[in-house]
Amino acid sequence: MSLLAPLGLLLGLLAIPLLGLYFLKIRRRRVTVPSLLLWEELVRAERLARPFDRFRRNILLWLQLLLLLLVTLAFARPAIFGTGSTGRSVVLVIDTSASMAATDENPTRLGRAVRMARSEVDSLGPSDEATIVLAGPRAEVAAPFSRDLPSLRSALDGIEVAQSRAHLREGVQLALSLARSRPDSEVLVYSDGGHDSLADLPTGEIPVAWKKVGSAAGNAGILAIDLRASPASELDRQLFVTVQRFGDSDAEATVQVFLEDKLVGLRNATLGDKAESLVFELPSATAGTLRVELDADDDHLPLDDRAYAIVEPVRKRRVALVGGDRLTHKVLSKDPRVDLSRIKPADLDRDQLDKLDAVIIAEPVSTDLTGVSVAYLRPDAGGPATLGESVRSPEVLGWRRTHPLMRFVNMEGAVISRSQTVDDRGGLVPIVDSTSGPLLLAGERGSARIVQVTFDPLKSDLPLRVAWPVLVLNTVGWLTERQAGVEHGHVVSAGDPWLRRVPEDITAEQ
């Protein structure tokens, strides 16, 4: 035993004045007695007046000395140093990824992991402590270091599966960081896999134990869905559903497509170890929320059996034709996708442009067309490209067959009277090449799309071919596909945030 504040013993010096008070000499009085019979009483009083006799028989003095001793010891702070253990610290890491919802464990892999972690909590001693880390979409502490077993059990009971992939590495890194703050610590990781990829994670002297849950169970899931315009008609849409079976054997599956709560498509398929795409035709009137559901044999993970797509209605594209010949006007007016208006060059103003999805220019205009999707069908109609000298009888060398403008368009053997060379392409990409340079260019500027023709179609044989009306229709479709809602939509993976800018005129209630 030692004293943490030995100077506190100086307080014991107060015992000296305390004892001195009891040793003060008693002042005697002269007393005259009439008889010796009272002498014995006087002798007894004299004996009591002896200092040491008074000291031995005074209980109050002993109590005061005892109290002073206790106060002195308290100020001196006696302490006993030992080598006892402070207990161990356990960091429990729980994997909450979507795969932990597999039902090959009872009731799920996560349920099995929670039971195993709960058993570890129940085995903690009075001086042991534990903390719980969740390895989900982000690593977080579900319960800080605590010796309160009921609170730890409550935290375990509140763990749920995240419908996304988990960041197990970040979870283990957080656990190691917490473990380093304790002298005797260890990390226990409850997961259905992934620890092989963490072999390079530096753990230092902290022991890490992997507690595997689950087995190699079969699973069938929806890998992706994609909504596209139909190649037969841009008024219609096609839904592509990609599914796959993961396991040692094939499985029979049914894929159902619901529009809101109405069944609009059903396909049966035998799923193997290779991805398979199923196509569902959707009519133009389709609008709302599509729900795709997969039902397969021996499927132990239900979370990847459902996917959603938001389908916007296909509306007609508002297109203006400035000038132009009767053939071009007739082709556009007969297109069911197009709400066509014919405008004279002098009547075109900015207010009209803000209401249009695209403009087809066949005569020169003076209005600023910045930010508008435009097709210039003649070289003298303007456009961003800088055109040079005129060249007679250019021959078509080739064209980009995969570009949407050239779908079903055959330019082979086209006879063109004259075209103009391009000195500055203005950021546009050649689509049709010839011996004199590009005959057709296209590209994007900001949110607008541009199509530039470097020859006069009326001075060629294209109006006599099927290629010209098809090219005009393709041009309108490519210029307006964003506004029509048929462009590939934004894909959001499960568990990822979906950020959208809310217009200023939208209220909180809306």
Side-chain angles (χ1 to χ4, degrees), residues 68-94:
L68 180 60
L69 176 63
L70 294 178
V71 172
T72 301
L73 290 176
F75 274 89
R77 297 177 62 189
I80 300 176
F81 295 95
T83 58
S85 174
T86 58
R88 64 191 184 104
S89 301
V90 182
V91 184
L92 306 175
V93 181
I94 311 295

PDB file of all heavy atoms in Angstrom, residues 68-94:
ATOM      1  N   LEU A  68      -9.785  12.371  14.095  1.00  0.00           N
ATOM      2  CA  LEU A  68      -8.641  13.051  13.498  1.00  0.00           C
ATOM      3  C   LEU A  68      -7.791  12.081  12.668  1.00  0.00           C
ATOM      4  O   LEU A  68      -7.291  12.431  11.590  1.00  0.00           O
ATOM      5  CB  LEU A  68      -7.790  13.695  14.598  1.00  0.00           C
ATOM      6  CG  LEU A  68      -6.539  14.445  14.121  1.00  0.00           C
ATOM      7  CD1 LEU A  68      -6.921  15.578  13.179  1.00  0.00           C
ATOM      8  CD2 LEU A  68      -5.739  14.949  15.310  1.00  0.00           C
ATOM      9  N   LEU A  69      -7.652  10.820  13.136  1.00  0.00           N
ATOM     10  CA  LEU A  69      -6.903   9.815  12.379  1.00  0.00           C
ATOM     11  C   LEU A  69      -7.561   9.509  11.031  1.00  0.00           C
ATOM     12  O   LEU A  69      -6.892   9.413   9.999  1.00  0.00           O
ATOM     13  CB  LEU A  69      -6.761   8.539  13.220  1.00  0.00           C
ATOM     14  CG  LEU A  69      -6.091   7.348  12.528  1.00  0.00           C
ATOM     15  CD1 LEU A  69      -4.645   7.697  12.172  1.00  0.00           C
ATOM     16  CD2 LEU A  69      -6.150   6.111  13.413  1.00  0.00           C
ATOM     17  N   LEU A  70      -8.866   9.377  11.047  1.00  0.00           N
ATOM     18  CA  LEU A  70      -9.580   9.074   9.801  1.00  0.00           C
ATOM     19  C   LEU A  70      -9.482  10.221   8.804  1.00  0.00           C
ATOM     20  O   LEU A  70      -9.285  10.012   7.600  1.00  0.00           O
ATOM     21  CB  LEU A  70     -11.054   8.766  10.112  1.00  0.00           C
ATOM     22  CG  LEU A  70     -11.317   7.502  10.933  1.00  0.00           C
ATOM     23  CD1 LEU A  70     -12.816   7.353  11.218  1.00  0.00           C
ATOM     24  CD2 LEU A  70     -10.807   6.266  10.204  1.00  0.00           C
ATOM     25  N   VAL A  71      -9.600  11.453   9.310  1.00  0.00           N
ATOM     26  CA  VAL A  71      -9.491  12.601   8.419  1.00  0.00           C
ATOM     27  C   VAL A  71      -8.087  12.698   7.825  1.00  0.00           C
ATOM     28  O   VAL A  71      -7.891  12.987   6.642  1.00  0.00           O
ATOM     29  CB  VAL A  71      -9.865  13.893   9.169  1.00  0.00           C
ATOM     30  CG1 VAL A  71      -9.579  15.123   8.314  1.00  0.00           C
ATOM     31  CG2 VAL A  71     -11.333  13.871   9.567  1.00  0.00           C
ATOM     32  N   THR A  72      -7.080  12.398   8.665  1.00  0.00           N
ATOM     33  CA  THR A  72      -5.691  12.440   8.184  1.00  0.00           C
ATOM     34  C   THR A  72      -5.458  11.404   7.095  1.00  0.00           C
ATOM     35  O   THR A  72      -4.835  11.673   6.063  1.00  0.00           O
ATOM     36  CB  THR A  72      -4.729  12.210   9.349  1.00  0.00           C
ATOM     37  OG1 THR A  72      -4.957  13.230  10.351  1.00  0.00           O
ATOM     38  CG2 THR A  72      -3.288  12.282   8.881  1.00  0.00           C
ATOM     39  N   LEU A  73      -5.961  10.185   7.291  1.00  0.00           N
ATOM     40  CA  LEU A  73      -5.810   9.134   6.278  1.00  0.00           C
ATOM     41  C   LEU A  73      -6.539   9.494   4.982  1.00  0.00           C
ATOM     42  O   LEU A  73      -6.080   9.193   3.872  1.00  0.00           O
ATOM     43  CB  LEU A  73      -6.329   7.801   6.821  1.00  0.00           C
ATOM     44  CG  LEU A  73      -5.489   7.151   7.927  1.00  0.00           C
ATOM     45  CD1 LEU A  73      -6.169   5.885   8.433  1.00  0.00           C
ATOM     46  CD2 LEU A  73      -4.096   6.829   7.421  1.00  0.00           C
ATOM     47  N   ALA A  74      -7.673  10.149   5.124  1.00  0.00           N
ATOM     48  CA  ALA A  74      -8.420  10.538   3.923  1.00  0.00           C
ATOM     49  C   ALA A  74      -7.635  11.543   3.085  1.00  0.00           C
ATOM     50  O   ALA A  74      -7.591  11.455   1.852  1.00  0.00           O
ATOM     51  CB  ALA A  74      -9.778  11.111   4.315  1.00  0.00           C
ATOM     52  N   PHE A  75      -7.003  12.501   3.761  1.00  0.00           N
ATOM     53  CA  PHE A  75      -6.207  13.480   3.038  1.00  0.00           C
ATOM     54  C   PHE A  75      -4.929  12.864   2.457  1.00  0.00           C
ATOM     55  O   PHE A  75      -4.424  13.324   1.442  1.00  0.00           O
ATOM     56  CB  PHE A  75      -5.856  14.655   3.956  1.00  0.00           C
ATOM     57  CG  PHE A  75      -6.926  15.713   4.000  1.00  0.00           C
ATOM     58  CD1 PHE A  75      -7.962  15.633   4.918  1.00  0.00           C
ATOM     59  CD2 PHE A  75      -6.914  16.764   3.113  1.00  0.00           C
ATOM     60  CE1 PHE A  75      -8.954  16.599   4.956  1.00  0.00           C
ATOM     61  CE2 PHE A  75      -7.901  17.732   3.137  1.00  0.00           C
ATOM     62  CZ  PHE A  75      -8.938  17.654   4.063  1.00  0.00           C
ATOM     63  N   ALA A  76      -4.409  11.831   3.076  1.00  0.00           N
ATOM     64  CA  ALA A  76      -3.197  11.177   2.567  1.00  0.00           C
ATOM     65  C   ALA A  76      -3.485  10.251   1.398  1.00  0.00           C
ATOM     66  O   ALA A  76      -2.579   9.859   0.660  1.00  0.00           O
ATOM     67  CB  ALA A  76      -2.514  10.397   3.687  1.00  0.00           C
ATOM     68  N   ARG A  77      -4.752   9.839   1.166  1.00  0.00           N
ATOM     69  CA  ARG A  77      -5.198   9.017   0.027  1.00  0.00           C
ATOM     70  C   ARG A  77      -4.383   7.729  -0.103  1.00  0.00           C
ATOM     71  O   ARG A  77      -3.597   7.549  -1.022  1.00  0.00           O
ATOM     72  CB  ARG A  77      -5.098   9.813  -1.272  1.00  0.00           C
ATOM     73  CG  ARG A  77      -5.990  11.044  -1.311  1.00  0.00           C
ATOM     74  CD  ARG A  77      -5.791  11.815  -2.583  1.00  0.00           C
ATOM     75  NE  ARG A  77      -6.174  10.985  -3.746  1.00  0.00           N
ATOM     76  CZ  ARG A  77      -5.942  11.329  -5.010  1.00  0.00           C
ATOM     77  NH1 ARG A  77      -5.294  12.466  -5.253  1.00  0.00           N
ATOM     78  NH2 ARG A  77      -6.303  10.537  -5.982  1.00  0.00           N
ATOM     79  N   PRO A  78      -4.588   6.801   0.790  1.00  0.00           N
ATOM     80  CA  PRO A  78      -3.899   5.509   0.666  1.00  0.00           C
ATOM     81  C   PRO A  78      -4.445   4.734  -0.537  1.00  0.00           C
ATOM     82  O   PRO A  78      -5.626   4.817  -0.875  1.00  0.00           O
ATOM     83  CB  PRO A  78      -4.227   4.820   1.978  1.00  0.00           C
ATOM     84  CG  PRO A  78      -5.507   5.432   2.444  1.00  0.00           C
ATOM     85  CD  PRO A  78      -5.455   6.866   1.996  1.00  0.00           C
ATOM     86  N   ALA A  79      -3.567   3.999  -1.232  1.00  0.00           N
ATOM     87  CA  ALA A  79      -3.960   3.229  -2.419  1.00  0.00           C
ATOM     88  C   ALA A  79      -3.197   1.930  -2.461  1.00  0.00           C
ATOM     89  O   ALA A  79      -2.058   1.833  -1.987  1.00  0.00           O
ATOM     90  CB  ALA A  79      -3.696   4.041  -3.678  1.00  0.00           C
ATOM     91  N   ILE A  80      -3.855   0.930  -3.044  1.00  0.00           N
ATOM     92  CA  ILE A  80      -3.242  -0.384  -3.234  1.00  0.00           C
ATOM     93  C   ILE A  80      -3.171  -0.651  -4.732  1.00  0.00           C
ATOM     94  O   ILE A  80      -4.188  -0.636  -5.435  1.00  0.00           O
ATOM     95  CB  ILE A  80      -4.047  -1.489  -2.525  1.00  0.00           C
ATOM     96  CG1 ILE A  80      -4.112  -1.223  -1.017  1.00  0.00           C
ATOM     97  CG2 ILE A  80      -3.441  -2.861  -2.806  1.00  0.00           C
ATOM     98  CD1 ILE A  80      -4.965  -2.228  -0.274  1.00  0.00           C
ATOM     99  N   PHE A  81      -1.995  -0.865  -5.262  1.00  0.00           N
ATOM    100  CA  PHE A  81      -1.793  -1.137  -6.695  1.00  0.00           C
ATOM    101  C   PHE A  81      -1.704  -2.639  -6.914  1.00  0.00           C
ATOM    102  O   PHE A  81      -0.950  -3.330  -6.224  1.00  0.00           O
ATOM    103  CB  PHE A  81      -0.507  -0.470  -7.196  1.00  0.00           C
ATOM    104  CG  PHE A  81      -0.566   1.037  -7.137  1.00  0.00           C
ATOM    105  CD1 PHE A  81      -0.047   1.724  -6.052  1.00  0.00           C
ATOM    106  CD2 PHE A  81      -1.171   1.746  -8.154  1.00  0.00           C
ATOM    107  CE1 PHE A  81      -0.107   3.111  -5.995  1.00  0.00           C
ATOM    108  CE2 PHE A  81      -1.232   3.129  -8.105  1.00  0.00           C
ATOM    109  CZ  PHE A  81      -0.707   3.813  -7.015  1.00  0.00           C
ATOM    110  N   GLY A  82      -2.508  -3.099  -7.922  1.00  0.00           N
ATOM    111  CA  GLY A  82      -2.484  -4.526  -8.224  1.00  0.00           C
ATOM    112  C   GLY A  82      -2.253  -4.751  -9.709  1.00  0.00           C
ATOM    113  O   GLY A  82      -2.079  -3.834 -10.499  1.00  0.00           O
ATOM    114  N   THR A  83      -2.320  -5.983 -10.158  1.00  0.00           N
ATOM    115  CA  THR A  83      -2.110  -6.365 -11.563  1.00  0.00           C
ATOM    116  C   THR A  83      -3.348  -7.017 -12.152  1.00  0.00           C
ATOM    117  O   THR A  83      -3.272  -7.846 -13.037  1.00  0.00           O
ATOM    118  CB  THR A  83      -0.917  -7.334 -11.670  1.00  0.00           C
ATOM    119  OG1 THR A  83      -1.181  -8.488 -10.857  1.00  0.00           O
ATOM    120  CG2 THR A  83       0.361  -6.659 -11.213  1.00  0.00           C
ATOM    121  N   GLY A  84      -4.527  -6.626 -11.688  1.00  0.00           N
ATOM    122  CA  GLY A  84      -5.761  -7.234 -12.163  1.00  0.00           C
ATOM    123  C   GLY A  84      -6.079  -6.845 -13.597  1.00  0.00           C
ATOM    124  O   GLY A  84      -5.662  -5.804 -14.099  1.00  0.00           O
ATOM    125  N   SER A  85      -6.861  -7.643 -14.367  1.00  0.00           N
ATOM    126  CA  SER A  85      -7.232  -7.404 -15.764  1.00  0.00           C
ATOM    127  C   SER A  85      -8.392  -6.423 -15.849  1.00  0.00           C
ATOM    128  O   SER A  85      -9.292  -6.430 -15.014  1.00  0.00           O
ATOM    129  CB  SER A  85      -7.616  -8.728 -16.439  1.00  0.00           C
ATOM    130  OG  SER A  85      -8.114  -8.500 -17.730  1.00  0.00           O
ATOM    131  N   THR A  86      -8.355  -5.551 -16.905  1.00  0.00           N
ATOM    132  CA  THR A  86      -9.447  -4.597 -17.128  1.00  0.00           C
ATOM    133  C   THR A  86     -10.515  -5.174 -18.052  1.00  0.00           C
ATOM    134  O   THR A  86     -11.467  -4.480 -18.390  1.00  0.00           O
ATOM    135  CB  THR A  86      -8.884  -3.311 -17.748  1.00  0.00           C
ATOM    136  OG1 THR A  86      -8.225  -3.628 -18.972  1.00  0.00           O
ATOM    137  CG2 THR A  86      -7.917  -2.640 -16.799  1.00  0.00           C
ATOM    138  N   GLY A  87     -10.402  -6.400 -18.486  1.00  0.00           N
ATOM    139  CA  GLY A  87     -11.380  -7.009 -19.364  1.00  0.00           C
ATOM    140  C   GLY A  87     -11.020  -6.811 -20.830  1.00  0.00           C
ATOM    141  O   GLY A  87     -10.163  -6.007 -21.189  1.00  0.00           O
ATOM    142  N   ARG A  88     -11.706  -7.537 -21.720  1.00  0.00           N
ATOM    143  CA  ARG A  88     -11.415  -7.451 -23.149  1.00  0.00           C
ATOM    144  C   ARG A  88     -12.457  -6.584 -23.841  1.00  0.00           C
ATOM    145  O   ARG A  88     -13.580  -6.397 -23.339  1.00  0.00           O
ATOM    146  CB  ARG A  88     -11.386  -8.844 -23.777  1.00  0.00           C
ATOM    147  CG  ARG A  88     -12.709  -9.588 -23.752  1.00  0.00           C
ATOM    148  CD  ARG A  88     -12.546 -11.041 -24.150  1.00  0.00           C
ATOM    149  NE  ARG A  88     -13.824 -11.736 -24.212  1.00  0.00           N
ATOM    150  CZ  ARG A  88     -14.458 -12.039 -25.334  1.00  0.00           C
ATOM    151  NH1 ARG A  88     -13.915 -11.716 -26.500  1.00  0.00           N
ATOM    152  NH2 ARG A  88     -15.622 -12.669 -25.311  1.00  0.00           N
ATOM    153  N   SER A  89     -12.084  -6.062 -25.006  1.00  0.00           N
ATOM    154  CA  SER A  89     -12.971  -5.224 -25.813  1.00  0.00           C
ATOM    155  C   SER A  89     -13.211  -5.927 -27.147  1.00  0.00           C
ATOM    156  O   SER A  89     -12.255  -6.314 -27.827  1.00  0.00           O
ATOM    157  CB  SER A  89     -12.348  -3.842 -26.044  1.00  0.00           C
ATOM    158  OG  SER A  89     -12.103  -3.190 -24.811  1.00  0.00           O
ATOM    159  N   VAL A  90     -14.474  -6.080 -27.526  1.00  0.00           N
ATOM    160  CA  VAL A  90     -14.863  -6.810 -28.731  1.00  0.00           C
ATOM    161  C   VAL A  90     -15.594  -5.869 -29.679  1.00  0.00           C
ATOM    162  O   VAL A  90     -16.516  -5.155 -29.266  1.00  0.00           O
ATOM    163  CB  VAL A  90     -15.760  -8.018 -28.386  1.00  0.00           C
ATOM    164  CG1 VAL A  90     -16.105  -8.801 -29.653  1.00  0.00           C
ATOM    165  CG2 VAL A  90     -15.090  -8.911 -27.370  1.00  0.00           C
ATOM    166  N   VAL A  91     -15.150  -5.840 -30.940  1.00  0.00           N
ATOM    167  CA  VAL A  91     -15.818  -5.058 -31.987  1.00  0.00           C
ATOM    168  C   VAL A  91     -16.541  -6.037 -32.906  1.00  0.00           C
ATOM    169  O   VAL A  91     -15.904  -6.877 -33.558  1.00  0.00           O
ATOM    170  CB  VAL A  91     -14.823  -4.199 -32.785  1.00  0.00           C
ATOM    171  CG1 VAL A  91     -15.571  -3.337 -33.794  1.00  0.00           C
ATOM    172  CG2 VAL A  91     -13.997  -3.323 -31.854  1.00  0.00           C
ATOM    173  N   LEU A  92     -17.859  -5.945 -32.949  1.00  0.00           N
ATOM    174  CA  LEU A  92     -18.675  -6.837 -33.775  1.00  0.00           C
ATOM    175  C   LEU A  92     -19.040  -6.113 -35.071  1.00  0.00           C
ATOM    176  O   LEU A  92     -19.685  -5.060 -35.043  1.00  0.00           O
ATOM    177  CB  LEU A  92     -19.947  -7.238 -33.021  1.00  0.00           C
ATOM    178  CG  LEU A  92     -19.739  -7.854 -31.633  1.00  0.00           C
ATOM    179  CD1 LEU A  92     -21.084  -8.075 -30.964  1.00  0.00           C
ATOM    180  CD2 LEU A  92     -18.967  -9.158 -31.729  1.00  0.00           C
ATOM    181  N   VAL A  93     -18.626  -6.662 -36.216  1.00  0.00           N
ATOM    182  CA  VAL A  93     -18.921  -6.082 -37.530  1.00  0.00           C
ATOM    183  C   VAL A  93     -19.992  -6.946 -38.194  1.00  0.00           C
ATOM    184  O   VAL A  93     -19.777  -8.141 -38.427  1.00  0.00           O
ATOM    185  CB  VAL A  93     -17.663  -6.008 -38.414  1.00  0.00           C
ATOM    186  CG1 VAL A  93     -18.012  -5.375 -39.764  1.00  0.00           C
ATOM    187  CG2 VAL A  93     -16.565  -5.213 -37.721  1.00  0.00           C
ATOM    188  N   ILE A  94     -21.141  -6.351 -38.517  1.00  0.00           N
ATOM    189  CA  ILE A  94     -22.255  -7.072 -39.125  1.00  0.00           C
ATOM    190  C   ILE A  94     -22.411  -6.613 -40.571  1.00  0.00           C
ATOM    191  O   ILE A  94     -22.596  -5.422 -40.843  1.00  0.00           O
ATOM    192  CB  ILE A  94     -23.572  -6.828 -38.358  1.00  0.00           C
ATOM    193  CG1 ILE A  94     -23.373  -7.049 -36.855  1.00  0.00           C
ATOM    194  CG2 ILE A  94     -24.664  -7.734 -38.892  1.00  0.00           C
ATOM    195  CD1 ILE A  94     -23.041  -8.462 -36.474  1.00  0.00           C
TER     196      ILE A  94
END
